[in-house]
């Protein structure tokens, strides 16, 4: 500790915090420190070994303990406090907070290095309040929500005001999800725990300063550290909540467009999927389900019976085919809508200063907005949803929830518009998630949302990247948005596959976007009406290409569902930047053109037309194998890869196990009674492991209830012998079945094979062998391959 204190003292000579702030006294609290200064009080609290929270309460103000983001209960007994003549130190096993008495200064460190310090700390200006910090001049900065700015966002001043950017392409500095968090390449994060609007300045003045600015609210932030990127994100999602495991059907293909005008059109579209034998799990109805026109009908929140004469029968028929119906809803009730009078009478709308419904104009008409912070508003909205779910609706879409238009003068039960603007979508998702838990506790909700906040993932929110341009520029920004949001807990960020906005018609772009979508959290083609998004409405050649991609999506369902389970348990993103694996490699710290899909796939989307090759970096820990040809690429190399029309470049990590199934029409046919288990032999990787998570795909908290099985795979190669072991962990309430596994070993030739000591026949095809394995429930298998 002496060395640490010395380093901190020396470093402090470089900075000077607010000269008017004087240390007065301190006292220990249950989880930390209370420090009195000349202008207020600091509360420093340990949440875990790797999370600490700091709040400043200026004199004359009262501490607001309510957080919209945090759900973690602080652990007790994890921190120690030491006082020296110059410092007060609070430390856990993973993080240290040092408070210098004079001049007053707060530092954060881990190990024997400081990584962050308050600069001026809290400062009140005429129209804003700020918290600022000293940065190292070399660190990369990520975060701030969903934006298209480049992976390293240092140098930007980011507005924190959720707002849609219609038709964006390669640059969008303000979008639907503004998350007040910064992640550093030095493996720490700072989350500003205040939901009011403001700014996040990532050293825009190039003076090594991080500044958070807001109009009002809590002066609270959490500092989170990690031993790796996955550990850091796990700690953050422990603080703000893990994403519930989604229903398996949500990983399938959606039929979606803006929009289906009638019951007849819905039924005709699904019939075409069936006739073309293109897998599909759900159909999404945009705003025409409640009105014939775009303007003037929002807020009806009920079926237009002229165009949808028998919605209950339509939904029942779709459910009989195991196809879910998802409906769009918005939080606006127009004065011309059928429900305006009811909403006014029941006092469910945001108000003006006099307590009357706050009315204003926007694109869709003259409107009020539902006050979801008010119990009456919340209950009224949920009862509408409950009625729709009773009709058989399988998923809910919340659109325009930034909110799209929300004047500052509006007042809600949660505060003024600008105080709750950024958490409107967050609380809207909470309303739905809570309603499901109360009234439909045996259902995993699907909640598609265009706006949210820190921790929205814990409500099962499925975010998407808004109304992206249907253009190559629109496609180019999507990996950055998805990777950044995954790092901020929102692992299901995805895009309207094919692009949404505009009438640009390009089948090459459409197919490239779908090829990328195979390796996305959600596979949902969607577009405005000018160009059909559904593959069934494409020409014969384009339809056939799209069908192959959708079939591959379903073949990968065992792998993808296991990724979803890993995210649920650990918060690990499904899509991961290259620097997750090589955090010290500065050459890849801003790369988003190539990414990991889970741990085992390396994916490079094709985002420009007509190109014949693309440069790909292959991470250094393993060799890599072309998913389509098995061609080997050496670890730690950059290679120019020839581009195929039929697929994007996808490579499998050496030593990986990839479980796959044959194509199914939808996930109701999902089964592991027969599946393929691919293993990619790599002489560089002598030991490796993998697993496959399985449950019924629908029960909430199935893992916690013991209604699951995990199939474990291990490989060990030595002296010309490869041994693969299969074993399983079966939950106490799960009925596991016997399985026929087709074990496919890539990049090897075999002389002989035994299973549990008995000689076994196998097939050889070039550098691939196939071994049939009958895997009886509850048994272990050892497959020994003589190379």
């Amino acid at each position: 500790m002496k060395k640490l204190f010395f380093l901190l003292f020396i470093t402090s000579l470089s900075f000077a915090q607010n000269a008017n702030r004087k240390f007065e006294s301190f006292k220990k609290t249950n989880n930390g420190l209370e420090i009195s200064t000349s202008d207020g009080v600091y509360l420093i609290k340990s949440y875990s070994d790797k999370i600490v929270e700091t709040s400043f309460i200026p004199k004359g103000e009262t501490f607001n303990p309510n957080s919209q983001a945090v759900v973690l209960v602080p652990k007790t007994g994890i921190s120690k406090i030491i006082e020296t003549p110059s410092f007060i130190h609070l430390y856990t096993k993973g993080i240290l907070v040092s408070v210098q008495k004079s001049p007053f200064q707060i530092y954060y460190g881990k190990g024997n290095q400081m990584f962050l310090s308050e600069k001026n700390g809290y400062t009140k200006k005429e129209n804003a309040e700020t918290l600022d910090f000293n940065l190292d001049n070399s660190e990369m900065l990520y975060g701030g929500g969903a934006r298209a700015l480049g992976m390293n966002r240092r140098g930007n001043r980011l507005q924190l005001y959720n707002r849609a950017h219609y038709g964006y392409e390669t640059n969008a500095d303000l979008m639907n999800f503004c998350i007040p968090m910064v992640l550093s390449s030095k493996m720490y994060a700072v989350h500003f725990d205040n939901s009011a609007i403001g700014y996040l300045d990532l050293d825009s003045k190039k003076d090594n300063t991080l500044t958070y600015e807001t109009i009002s609210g809590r002066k609270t932030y959490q500092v989170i550290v990690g031993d790796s990127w996955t550990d850091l994100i796990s700690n953050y999602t422990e603080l703000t909540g893990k994403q519930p495991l989604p229903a398996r059907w949500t990983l399938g293909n959606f039929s979606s467009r803006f929009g289906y005008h009638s019951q007849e059109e819905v039924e005709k579209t699904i019939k075409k999927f069936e006739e073309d034998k293109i897998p599909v799990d759900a159909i999404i109805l945009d705003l025409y389900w409640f009105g014939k026109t775009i303007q003037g009908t929002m807020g009806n929140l009920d079926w237009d019976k002229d165009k949808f004469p028998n919605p209950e029968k339509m939904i029942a028929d779709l459910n009989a085919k195991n196809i879910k119906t998802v409906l769009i809803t918005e939080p606006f009730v127009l004065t011309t809508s059928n429900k305006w009078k009811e909403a006014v009478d029941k006092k469910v709308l945001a108000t003006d200063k006099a307590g009357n419904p706050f009315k204003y104009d926007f694109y869709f008409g003259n409107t009020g907005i539902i006050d979801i912070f008010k119990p009456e508003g919340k209950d009224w909205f949920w009862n509408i949803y409950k009625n729709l779910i009773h009709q058989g609706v399988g998923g809910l879409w919340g659109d325009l929830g930034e909110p799209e238009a929300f004047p500052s003068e509006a007042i809600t039960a949660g505060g003024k518009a600008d105080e709750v603007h950024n958490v409107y979508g967050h609380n809207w998702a909470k309303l739905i998630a809570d309603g499901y838990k109360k009234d439909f506790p045996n259902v995993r909700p699907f909640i598609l949302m265009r706006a949210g906040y820190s921790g929205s993932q814990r409500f099962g929110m499925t975010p998407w990247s808004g109304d992206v341009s249907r253009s190559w520029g629109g496609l180019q920004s999507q990996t950055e948005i998805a990777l950044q949001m995954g790092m901020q807990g929102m692992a299901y960020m995805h895009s309207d596959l094919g692009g949404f906005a505009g009438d640009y018609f390009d089948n090459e772009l459409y197919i490239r976007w779908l090829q990328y979508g195979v390796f996305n959290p959600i596979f949902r083609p969607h577009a405005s009406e000018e160009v059909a998004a559904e593959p069934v409405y494409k020409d014969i050649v384009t339809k056939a290409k799209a069908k192959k991609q959708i079939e591959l999506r379903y073949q990968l369902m065992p792998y993808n569902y296991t990724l979803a389970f890993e995210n649920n348990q650990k918060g690990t993103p499904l899509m991961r930047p290259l620097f997750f694996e090589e955090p010290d490699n500065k050459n890849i710290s801003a790369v988003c053109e190539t990414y990991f899909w889970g741990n085992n796939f390396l994916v490079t989307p094709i985002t420009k037309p007509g190109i014949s090759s693309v440069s790909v970096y292959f991470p250094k820990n393993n060799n890599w194998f072309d998913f389509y040809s098995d061609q080997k690429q050496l670890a730690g190399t950059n290679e120019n890869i020839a581009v195929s029309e039929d697929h994007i470049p996808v490579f499998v990590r050496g030593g990986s196990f990839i479980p796959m199934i044959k194509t199914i029409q939808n996930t109701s046919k999902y089964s592991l009674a027969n599946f393929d288990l691919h293993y990619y032999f790599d002489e560089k990787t002598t030991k490796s492991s993998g697993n496959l998570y399985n449950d019924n795909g629908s029960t909430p908290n199935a893992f916690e209830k013991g209604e699951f099985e995990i199939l474990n795979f291990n490989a060990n190669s030595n002296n010309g012998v490869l041994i693969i072991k299969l074993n399983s962990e079966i939950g106490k309430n799960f009925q596991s079945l016997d399985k026929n596994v087709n074990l496919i070993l890539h990049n090897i030739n075999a002389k002989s094979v035994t299973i549990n000591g008995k000689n076994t026949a196998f097939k050889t095809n070039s550098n691939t062998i196939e071994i049939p394995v009958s895997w009886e429930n509850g048994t272990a298998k050892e497959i020994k391959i003589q190379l």
Side-chain angles (χ1 to χ4, degrees):
M1 289 298 290
K2 286 183 179 178
K3 181 182 178 184
L4 179 56
F5 295 169
F6 176 76
L7 284 172
L8 288 169
F9 176 74
I10 293 298
T11 310
S12 73
L13 297 179
S14 305
F15 309 122
Q17 194 159 331
N18 189 332
N20 297 319
R21 183 166 298 131
K22 308 296 183 185
F23 171 82
E24 291 181 349
S25 64
F26 85 96
K27 63 181 179 181
K28 298 178 183 179
T29 61
N30 285 338
N31 296 299
L33 284 170
E34 181 178 317
I35 298 171
S36 296
T37 68
S38 53
D39 60 344
V41 173
Y42 277 92
L43 301 179
I44 301 175
K45 175 168 60 176
S46 300
Y47 271 90
S48 72
D49 286 339
K50 296 179 180 177
I51 304 171
V52 67
E53 177 181 278
T54 299
S55 299
F56 183 71
I57 306 99
K59 282 191 172 177
E61 293 191 18
T62 303
F63 178 59
N64 174 9
N66 299 317
S67 170
Q68 290 276 346
V70 171
V71 292
L72 183 64
V73 176
K75 297 176 182 176
T76 57
I78 58 170
S79 60
K80 294 182 180 179
I81 295 168
I82 293 176
E83 182 184 16
T84 70
S86 300
F87 285 93
I88 306 151
H89 303 281
L90 178 149
Y91 65 97
T92 69
K93 291 179 181 177
I95 194 167
L96 174 129
V97 185
S98 287
V99 181
Q100 180 176 270
K101 296 176 183 177
S102 182
F104 187 83
Q105 189 87 40
I106 299 180
Y107 303 93
Y108 299 90
K110 57 180 176 178
N112 64 352
Q113 290 188 339
M114 181 199 78
F115 58 81
L116 185 73
S117 64
E118 286 197 356
K119 190 169 188 175
N120 296 298
Y122 171 75
T123 305
K124 188 173 181 64
K125 300 179 180 179
E126 185 177 346
N127 296 313
E129 300 173 273
T130 64
L131 294 166
D132 64 2
F133 301 82
N134 296 296
L135 294 170
D136 182 284
N137 60 12
S138 65
E139 58 192 302
M140 308 279 190
L141 299 178
Y142 312 98
R147 305 172 194 265
L149 294 169
M151 281 298 282
N152 180 13
R153 294 177 171 177
R154 187 165 185 164
N156 289 284
R157 185 170 187 257
L158 308 177
Q159 187 177 1
L160 299 173
Y161 187 88
N162 290 354
R163 178 180 286 158
H165 185 155
Y166 185 85
Y168 70 91
E169 294 192 33
T170 56
N171 187 273
D173 59 5
L174 183 62
M175 293 179 68
N176 314 66
F177 291 82
C178 294
I179 295 178
M181 179 170 73
V182 180
L183 301 100
S184 166
S185 57
K186 294 171 74 172
M187 219 73 77
Y188 72 86
V190 185
H191 174 252
F192 297 97
D193 194 358
N194 179 32
S195 58
I197 64 172
Y199 289 87
L200 194 56
D201 192 312
L202 309 186
D203 194 27
S204 68
K205 296 177 181 176
K206 303 195 181 333
D207 59 356
N208 298 322
T209 305
L210 165 66
T211 305
Y212 170 70
E213 178 184 319
T214 185
I215 58 168
S216 63
R218 286 155 53 89
K219 276 65 75 172
T220 295
Y221 61 92
Q222 293 92 25
V223 177
I224 307 136
V225 298
D227 299 324
S228 65
W229 279 107
T230 52
D231 182 46
L232 177 61
I233 295 165
S234 178
N235 295 332
Y236 169 72
T237 52
E238 193 71 26
L239 178 73
T240 59
K242 296 286 196 283
Q243 180 109 15
L245 183 62
R248 186 154 44 223
W249 69 264
T250 65
L251 301 180
N253 176 38
F254 290 77
S255 177
S256 184
R257 67 155 62 184
F258 175 51
Y260 300 108
H261 290 257
S262 67
Q263 183 170 335
E264 181 183 8
E265 194 173 354
V266 169
E267 292 166 345
K268 173 189 168 188
T269 299
I270 291 302
K271 187 176 181 183
K272 289 183 74 67
F273 275 94
E274 293 174 327
E275 290 172 347
D276 291 332
K277 293 184 170 54
I278 296 178
V280 64
D281 261 274
I283 186 164
I284 299 183
L285 276 61
D286 213 313
L287 48 75
Y288 296 115
W289 75 272
F290 57 73
K292 299 176 187 63
T293 57
I294 295 174
Q295 293 172 310
T297 60
M298 194 169 285
N300 286 345
L301 293 168
D302 203 355
W303 296 94
D304 176 358
K305 290 297 183 71
D306 290 338
K307 292 295 185 178
F308 293 86
N310 197 339
E312 290 88 351
K313 182 179 186 304
M314 178 190 76
I315 295 169
D317 290 345
L318 290 170
N319 283 337
K321 298 175 180 180
N322 296 296
I323 295 170
K324 308 292 184 184
T325 304
V326 180
L327 299 183
I328 194 172
T329 58
E330 298 88 0
F332 302 100
V333 182
L334 300 189
T335 56
T336 54
S337 73
N338 298 336
K339 285 196 167 48
W340 173 255
K341 185 177 185 305
E342 179 185 330
V344 172
D345 291 345
K346 295 196 173 182
K347 302 184 185 304
V348 302
L349 301 171
T351 66
D352 58 22
K353 287 181 180 179
N356 300 312
F358 187 87
K359 294 186 289 185
Y360 53 101
D361 293 324
F362 77 139
Y363 172 78
F364 295 94
N366 185 249
T367 194
I369 188 169
I370 301 168
D371 186 351
I372 59 170
F373 303 94
K374 188 178 184 181
E376 294 89 342
K378 194 182 304 182
D379 291 344
W380 184 81
F381 212 176
W382 172 245
N383 283 331
I384 289 169
Y385 285 131
K386 185 162 65 170
N387 181 54
L388 293 170
I389 298 165
H390 278 306
Q391 290 178 13
V393 167
L396 299 169
W397 173 9
D399 198 16
L400 313 183
E402 295 78 27
E404 170 88 7
F406 198 21
S408 300
E409 297 80 12
I411 299 169
T412 76
K416 296 176 182 177
D418 288 348
E419 294 171 331
V420 300
H421 178 96
N422 286 345
V423 288
Y424 192 96
H426 178 80
N427 282 275
W428 187 7
K430 181 180 187 300
L431 177 162
I432 298 171
D434 289 348
Y436 266 98
K437 284 179 183 176
K438 176 176 171 286
D439 294 318
F440 306 98
N442 297 319
V443 178
R444 298 183 195 173
F446 176 69
I447 306 172
L448 182 66
M449 283 275 171
R450 200 174 82 169
Y453 180 69
S454 314
S456 289
Q457 70 276 354
R458 68 177 179 268
F459 306 128
M461 181 189 284
T462 299
W464 92 98
S465 61
D467 295 334
V468 59
S469 166
R470 187 194 286 114
S471 65
W472 290 98
L475 174 56
Q476 286 160 23
S477 60
Q478 294 311 303
T479 49
E480 176 198 339
I481 293 169
L483 291 170
Q484 289 270 359
M485 287 294 280
M487 293 169 65
Q488 297 170 77
M490 303 290 285
Y492 288 85
M493 174 55 79
H494 66 288
S495 62
D496 292 342
L497 298 182
F500 178 82
D503 57 2
Y504 182 67
F505 182 81
D506 186 337
N507 281 333
E508 181 188 3
L509 171 66
Y510 176 75
I511 293 300
R512 289 303 192 198
W513 215 316
L514 263 59
Q515 290 168 348
Y516 161 64
V518 171
F519 303 94
N520 263 209
I522 300 292
F523 190 96
R524 188 183 56 84
H526 182 70
S528 55
E529 291 188 276
E530 292 87 347
V531 181
E534 310 93 328
V536 295
Y537 291 116
K538 298 294 184 181
D539 63 83
I540 292 174
V541 173
T542 305
K543 182 194 296 184
K545 290 179 179 179
K547 182 179 180 180
K548 281 186 178 180
Q549 299 310 309
I550 295 167
E551 288 176 340
L552 177 58
R553 175 73 178 186
Y554 280 81
Q555 291 161 18
L556 287 168
M557 191 65 69
Y559 180 86
N560 293 349
Y561 194 59
T562 303
L563 291 189
F565 172 68
E566 184 180 1
N567 169 261
N568 163 246
Q569 294 294 303
K570 301 176 183 176
T572 312
L574 288 75
M575 293 173 63
R576 306 164 193 176
L578 294 185
F579 58 75
F580 269 40
E581 184 144 325
E582 298 181 32
D584 297 325
N585 185 344
K586 289 184 168 44
N587 293 326
I588 59 173
S589 59
V591 169
C592 60
E593 292 76 16
T594 296
Y595 64 92
F596 295 114
W597 176 240
N599 186 56
N600 299 324
F601 283 104
L602 189 71
V603 180
T604 303
I606 299 302
T607 61
K608 295 178 182 176
I611 63 174
S612 58
S613 65
V614 64
S615 178
V616 177
Y617 172 72
F618 294 93
K620 65 182 182 181
N621 292 330
N622 308 83
N623 293 319
W624 295 84
F625 299 89
D626 191 302
F627 182 52
Y628 300 96
S629 70
D630 277 352
Q631 183 176 346
K632 179 179 176 180
Q633 300 292 339
L634 295 178
T637 61
N638 276 290
E639 295 294 337
N640 233 20
I641 302 300
V643 170
S644 167
E645 188 179 283
D646 296 331
H647 56 80
I648 58 176
V650 177
F651 297 86
V652 183
R653 183 190 300 273
S656 292
F657 288 94
I658 308 292
M660 298 178 68
I661 58 171
K662 300 295 187 274
T663 298
I664 51 179
Q665 185 60 25
N666 62 39
T667 55
S668 67
K669 307 296 183 186
Y670 182 85
S671 171
L672 294 180
N674 299 278
F675 72 93
D676 296 333
L677 181 61
H678 296 260
Y679 173 72
Y680 287 79
F681 178 74
D682 174 19
E683 67 277 4
K684 182 178 172 66
T685 309
T686 57
K687 290 184 179 181
S688 62
S689 61
N691 58 52
L692 194 173
Y693 174 80
N694 187 39
D695 59 23
N696 67 6
S698 60
T699 299
N701 301 310
F703 177 73
E704 289 74 14
K705 294 172 182 174
E707 300 177 17
F708 73 94
E709 64 180 344
I710 298 176
L711 310 182
N712 296 306
F713 322 123
N714 290 276
N716 194 329
S717 61
N718 191 26
N719 296 326
V721 176
L722 170 64
I723 296 175
I724 291 179
K725 294 181 179 180
L726 312 180
N727 59 71
S728 60
E729 175 189 349
I730 301 173
K732 62 181 179 179
N733 297 316
F734 188 80
Q735 185 60 53
S736 181
L737 302 175
D738 294 346
K739 296 171 177 63
N740 294 310
V741 182
N742 185 33
L743 181 60
I744 303 171
L745 308 180
H746 296 253
N747 316 306
I748 64 170
N749 291 300
K751 297 176 181 176
S752 64
V753 174
T754 63
I755 299 178
N756 287 1
K758 295 181 180 179
N759 287 323
T760 300
F762 59 94
K763 295 180 184 176
T764 300
N765 180 18
S766 184
N767 285 336
T768 302
I769 67 171
E770 294 187 28
I771 306 167
V773 181
S774 296
W775 192 1
E776 298 81 10
N777 177 31
T779 65
K781 295 290 179 180
E782 181 179 279
I783 301 99
K784 185 178 291 187
I785 301 101
Q786 190 71 43
L787 305 179

